[in-house]
Amino acid sequence: MIKIHIADTTARDATIVGASGKPPAPPALGRDGHVAVFRRYVTAGAGRQHDELSAELGPDYHQALVDGDPEIDFDAVGRLIEDTQSVLLDSDGHPLHCAPSIMEVTFGPDGDEVERREPVDVAANVNVDVPIRWTGRRM
């Protein structure tokens, strides 16, 4: 629950309380009483992307695509994917074994870096004893 203590130009103040309600249920997916089920399938195998195919068949491998299907791995394509996990990659495409840490960087007016630190959670200060004054200006 969020509380904001505000006042207008005539010094009338109020505390506003904001709370989120329960969202409505999403509509059922499907048609004519049949429920739609989404599945994930393998669409390409390893070594079947453009870079690998151009290294294997040459830069102009269009005729090989017409004559056969070198881009399709018949053992992998079409298989159902049951469970998935997110994998973080570094800039070279190699998997990271631990999540990267988030760093807060502060820059000065001249554009030079001033400080690096771990992010700090600061409590909101909009429900204080002295209300926030409404000036009528919009930013």
Side-chain angles (χ1 to χ4, degrees), residues 71-86:
E71 79 279 11
I72 299 175
D73 182 5
F74 289 102
D75 293 332
V77 172
R79 285 190 177 182
L80 182 64
I81 299 173
E82 293 290 335
D83 297 324
T84 60
Q85 290 181 338
S86 296

Side-chain angles (χ1 to χ4, degrees), residues 110-124:
D110 55 353
D112 292 335
E113 183 178 321
V114 175
E115 179 185 13
R116 281 182 178 255
R117 64 179 179 172
E118 294 288 325
V120 178
D121 287 334
V122 179

Side-chain angles (χ1 to χ4, degrees), residues 3-132:
K3 293 183 179 181
I4 302 173
H5 193 185
I6 61 172
D8 63 3
T9 55
T10 61
R12 292 186 300 175
D13 64 331
T15 301
I16 300 171
V17 178
S20 60
K22 185 177 179 181
L29 299 176
R31 194 172 108 177
D32 299 330
H34 299 287
V35 179
V37 180
F38 294 94
R39 303 271 189 227
R40 291 181 182 208
Y41 295 95
V42 176
T43 58
R48 304 294 189 207
Q49 300 298 321
H50 171 70
D51 297 337
E52 293 90 3
L53 288 174
S54 61
E56 179 183 340
L57 302 172
D60 295 327
Y61 60 90
H62 58 275
Q63 188 60 41
L65 294 175
V66 173
D67 295 339
D69 292 319
E71 79 279 11
I72 299 175
D73 182 5
F74 289 102
D75 293 332
V77 172
R79 285 190 177 182
L80 182 64
I81 299 173
E82 293 290 335
D83 297 324
T84 60
Q85 290 181 338
S86 296
V87 176
L88 298 175
L89 304 175
D90 63 6
S91 59
D92 296 328
H94 302 293
L96 295 174
H97 298 286
C98 63
S101 62
I102 297 175
M103 187 66 59
E104 186 175 303
V105 180
T106 306
F107 294 96
D110 55 353
D112 292 335
E113 183 178 321
V114 175
E115 179 185 13
R116 281 182 178 255
R117 64 179 179 172
E118 294 288 325
V120 178
D121 287 334
V122 179
N125 61 354
V126 292
N127 189 22
V128 292
D129 295 333
V130 179
I132 299 171

